[in-house]
């Protein structure tokens, strides 16, 4: 490789002679410097270098210098995501709608390490400091949290900022969600009686489980907060004769859900409003379901959140809270950079103990807690299959970059559930009266 030169003004150079720049490291050199052993996946690059077994089933290809700069300037999942979403990092051997197998092999076959200070300096000098100037991120990326705070959106979990976060994730395209979620339009963990259940069967199972835990009966009133496209609202009205109100901060969800209610002839029982849950009527409901909203609330806001849900229940009413949790109480509540920038801005997760304590401290009597971790892994696998089956239409609907984001996010989440890095908990509580009346029987009145 031909050496390149810099001006001789640098201290330590020989007067009258240019200072020799260190040889430019190849991408393979960089990979070797930051890995503890040779990867079991094949990594190739635009400069012709390669590392890893030639017969590996899965391969990564760093297609451009920009892709390398993405990875170098944002170490961890954010840099890799930027390169992948932009097309500068290509994954061979898997479909972009479901890169699960690549992520699984990377998790076990690419052990990263920090290079020594001397190694790092040598690499930087060889690459040139200009390579460490971050390229503009892909358009699918949300602004960082600190910038959201000064962009007129308010502090984390202020009403306006929450609405903007919901808009970023849920107002992608109703048609796109139809292609991924299937006819139920249910974007939460399903419940599988067996791994052979279809996704639609498992989502119906989930709604029946929630209805059973809440002891829903004809004529009762249900509030479903963060109702999505109204799946629980329509199921409760259609199958149980319940008068159900769903609220969501997504305008597109509310419009789709209300139209579905009218199509099914459920308008006399069901309604979905574009509304903040904090504006729902007080002490009006026999039951409250929160299926997939708590992740957006913020852990420090749990007391206010569960207090608001309690205030909307009649005495003796039941709350069913269904949400993703950490598996480790020592883990940070904050999401990784990829999830925060591309998927759920401002999302936060707590360990199940913290969640149960928050429900308890909001004056609920906690009656039951159930972990559905592996059910969510199966749910995500189903969504990935749908994305693969509808890939061309999905790309036409939202663009290639956004479709890649969703394939990556769902496959990565599936792997995280399988590896017990995150869990899904349903917590059932009752608004027990001061004299101890909970309306909850001696043994559960629902079928597991």
């Amino acid at each position: 490789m031909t050496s390149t030169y810099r001006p001789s003004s640098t201290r330590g150079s020989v007067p009258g002679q240019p200072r020799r720049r260190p040889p430019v490291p190849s991408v393979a050199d960089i990979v070797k410097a930051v890995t503890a052993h040779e990867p079991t996946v094949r990594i190739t690059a635009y400069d012709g270098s390669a590392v890893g077994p030639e017969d590996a089933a899965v391969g990564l290809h760093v297609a451009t210098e920009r892709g390398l700069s993405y990875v170098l300037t944002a170490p961890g999942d954010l840099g890799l995501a930027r390169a992948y979403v932009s097309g500068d990092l290509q994954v061979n051997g898997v479909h972009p709608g479901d890169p699960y197998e690549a992520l699984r092999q990377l998790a076990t076959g690419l052990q990263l390490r920090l290079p020594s200070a001397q190694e790092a300096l040598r690499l930087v000098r060889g690459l040139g400091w200009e390579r460490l100037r971050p390229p503009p991120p892909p358009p699918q990326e949300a602004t960082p949290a600190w910038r959201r705070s000064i962009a007129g959106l308010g502090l984390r979990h202020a009403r306006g900022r929450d609405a903007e976060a919901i808009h970023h994730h849920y107002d992608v395209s109703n048609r796109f969600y139809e292609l991924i979620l299937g006819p139920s339009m249910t974007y939460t963990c399903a419940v599988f009686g067996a791994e052979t259940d279809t996704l639609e069967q498992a989502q119906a199972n989930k709604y029946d489980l929630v209805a059973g835990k809440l002891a829903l009966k004809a004529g009762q009133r249900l509030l479903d907060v963060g109702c999505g496209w109204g799946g629980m609202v329509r199921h409760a009205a259609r199958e149980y004769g319940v008068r159900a109100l769903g609220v969501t901060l997504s305008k597109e969800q509310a419009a789709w859900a209300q139209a579905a209610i009218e199509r099914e002839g459920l308008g006399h029982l069901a309604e979905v409003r574009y509304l903040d849950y904090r504006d729902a009527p007080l002490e009006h409901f026999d039951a409250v379901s929160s299926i997939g909203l708590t992740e957006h609330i913020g852990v420090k806001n749990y007391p206010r959140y569960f207090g608001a849900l309690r205030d909307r229940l009649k005495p003796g009413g039941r709350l069913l809270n269904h949400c993703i949790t950490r598996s480790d109480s020592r883990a940070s509540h904050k999401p990784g950079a990829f999830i925060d920038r591309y998927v759920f801005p401002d999302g936060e997760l707590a360990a199940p103990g913290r969640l149960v304590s928050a429900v308890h401290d909001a004056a609920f009597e906690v009656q039951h807690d159930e972990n559905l971790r592996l059910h969510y892994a199966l749910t995500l696998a189903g969504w990935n299959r749908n994305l693969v089956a509808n890939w061309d239409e999905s790309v036409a609907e939202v663009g290639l970059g956004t479709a890649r984001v969703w394939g990556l996010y769902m496959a990565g989440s599936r792997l995280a559930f399988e590896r017990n890095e995150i869990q899904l908990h349903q917590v059932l509580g009752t608004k027990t009266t001061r004299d101890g009346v909970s309306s909850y029987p001696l043994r559960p009145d629902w079928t597991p």
Side-chain angles (χ1 to χ4, degrees):
M1 182 177 294
T2 303
S3 298
T4 56
Y5 295 87
R6 286 179 174 173
S8 60
S9 57
T10 307
R11 185 174 64 179
S13 58
V14 178
Q17 293 184 7
R19 182 176 181 176
R20 184 179 297 275
R21 181 174 177 173
V24 178
S26 68
V27 173
D29 291 333
I30 297 170
V31 172
K32 292 174 183 177
V34 299
T35 52
H37 53 72
E38 182 169 322
T40 60
V41 298
R42 179 73 167 172
I43 301 175
T44 59
Y46 60 88
D47 61 3
S49 66
V51 63
E54 294 184 14
D55 60 349
V58 171
L60 302 182
H61 180 66
V62 183
T64 67
E65 291 189 5
R66 183 177 68 173
L68 179 61
S69 291
Y70 275 138
V71 174
L72 292 176
T73 57
D77 62 355
L78 182 60
L80 289 168
R82 285 171 171 171
Y84 178 71
V85 171
S86 65
D88 297 306
L89 176 65
Q90 298 164 5
V91 182
N92 303 318
V94 296
H95 191 284
D98 187 7
Y100 165 81
E101 185 58 29
L103 296 178
R104 190 187 68 81
Q105 293 201 27
L106 284 171
T108 58
L110 191 65
Q111 185 178 342
L112 299 179
R113 69 174 179 90
L114 288 175
S116 67
Q118 184 177 5
E119 284 179 307
L121 184 59
R122 176 179 58 81
L123 291 173
V124 169
R125 284 177 172 171
L127 290 166
W129 292 99
E130 65 276 4
R131 187 62 61 80
L132 299 182
R133 185 181 300 115
Q140 291 79 14
E141 183 171 319
T143 57
W146 66 267
R147 190 169 293 172
R148 294 171 215 154
S149 298
I150 63 175
L153 296 177
L155 297 176
R156 186 185 294 267
H157 302 298
R159 286 194 179 214
R161 182 159 164 177
D162 278 349
E164 180 60 29
I166 295 297
H167 168 74
H168 176 89
H169 186 71
Y170 293 101
D171 290 344
V172 176
S173 158
N174 282 336
R175 178 56 185 158
F176 180 62
Y177 277 104
E178 289 173 349
L179 295 169
I180 292 175
L181 304 180
S184 73
M185 279 294 272
T186 301
Y187 186 36
T188 49
C189 174
V191 174
F192 290 79
E195 292 189 16
T196 54
D197 284 356
T198 67
L199 188 56
E200 291 301 302
Q201 289 172 328
Q203 292 294 8
N205 293 344
K206 186 263 301 296
Y207 287 138
D208 282 330
L209 180 62
V210 172
K213 288 180 177 180
L214 292 174
L216 294 183
K217 298 178 180 63
Q220 289 184 328
R221 292 193 61 89
L222 167 70
L223 173 64
D224 186 37
V225 296
C227 67
W229 290 270
M232 182 65 201
V233 169
R234 288 179 285 120
H235 190 89
R238 182 178 60 247
E239 304 298 331
Y240 296 88
V242 170
R243 292 178 292 163
L245 170 64
V247 297
T248 175
L249 282 177
S250 166
K251 288 183 179 179
E252 290 195 22
Q253 283 185 335
W256 191 100
Q258 193 58 38
I261 288 169
E262 299 304 325
R263 284 197 306 270
E264 294 187 31
L266 297 172
H268 62 297
L269 289 174
E271 180 185 4
V272 168
R273 299 179 192 171
Y274 172 58
L275 185 72
D276 193 294
Y277 71 92
R278 290 163 281 201
D279 296 325
L282 295 172
E283 291 203 355
H284 198 66
F285 300 94
D286 301 284
V288 172
S289 54
S290 173
I291 308 175
L293 177 59
T294 314
E295 297 90 333
H296 298 287
I297 295 300
V299 175
K300 73 176 183 179
N301 294 320
Y302 281 3
R304 184 185 308 169
Y305 173 62
F306 288 115
L309 300 187
R310 179 202 62 222
D311 291 344
R312 279 145 183 85
L313 274 172
K314 296 176 181 179
R318 298 188 189 185
L319 164 72
L320 189 286
N321 193 85
H322 167 121
C323 74
I324 302 170
T325 71
R326 297 288 185 205
S327 59
D328 185 341
S329 60
R330 296 180 295 274
S332 171
H333 300 145
K334 303 296 172 61
F338 167 65
I339 293 294
D340 185 60
R341 299 286 187 90
Y342 285 87
V343 185
F344 292 113
D346 292 336
E348 295 181 24
L349 304 177
R354 177 68 178 272
L355 179 71
V356 171
S357 293
V359 175
H360 172 84
D361 292 345
F364 285 99
E365 183 178 6
V366 176
Q367 303 288 357
H368 189 266
D369 172 47
E370 180 175 10
N371 182 8
L372 298 172
R373 173 175 67 86
L374 294 179
H375 294 262
Y376 218 153
L378 293 171
T379 304
L380 286 154
W383 291 342
N384 272 123
R385 285 194 297 270
N386 286 346
L387 181 55
V388 170
N390 298 293
W391 180 253
D392 290 343
E393 186 176 351
S394 297
V395 170
E397 181 69 23
V398 299
L400 181 57
T402 297
R404 283 187 180 132
V405 167
W406 279 79
L408 180 63
Y409 139 63
M410 294 189 300
S413 297
R414 173 188 171 187
L415 186 63
F417 280 109
E418 289 179 346
R419 292 165 62 90
N420 195 27
E421 294 167 4
I422 48 178
Q423 299 175 351
L424 188 288
H425 280 256
Q426 283 191 351
V427 178
L428 176 64
T430 52
K431 185 176 180 178
T432 301
T433 65
R434 291 183 178 179
D435 55 357
V437 177
S438 70
S439 301
Y440 196 78
L442 290 176
R443 296 299 300 156
D445 51 1
W446 45 272
T447 302

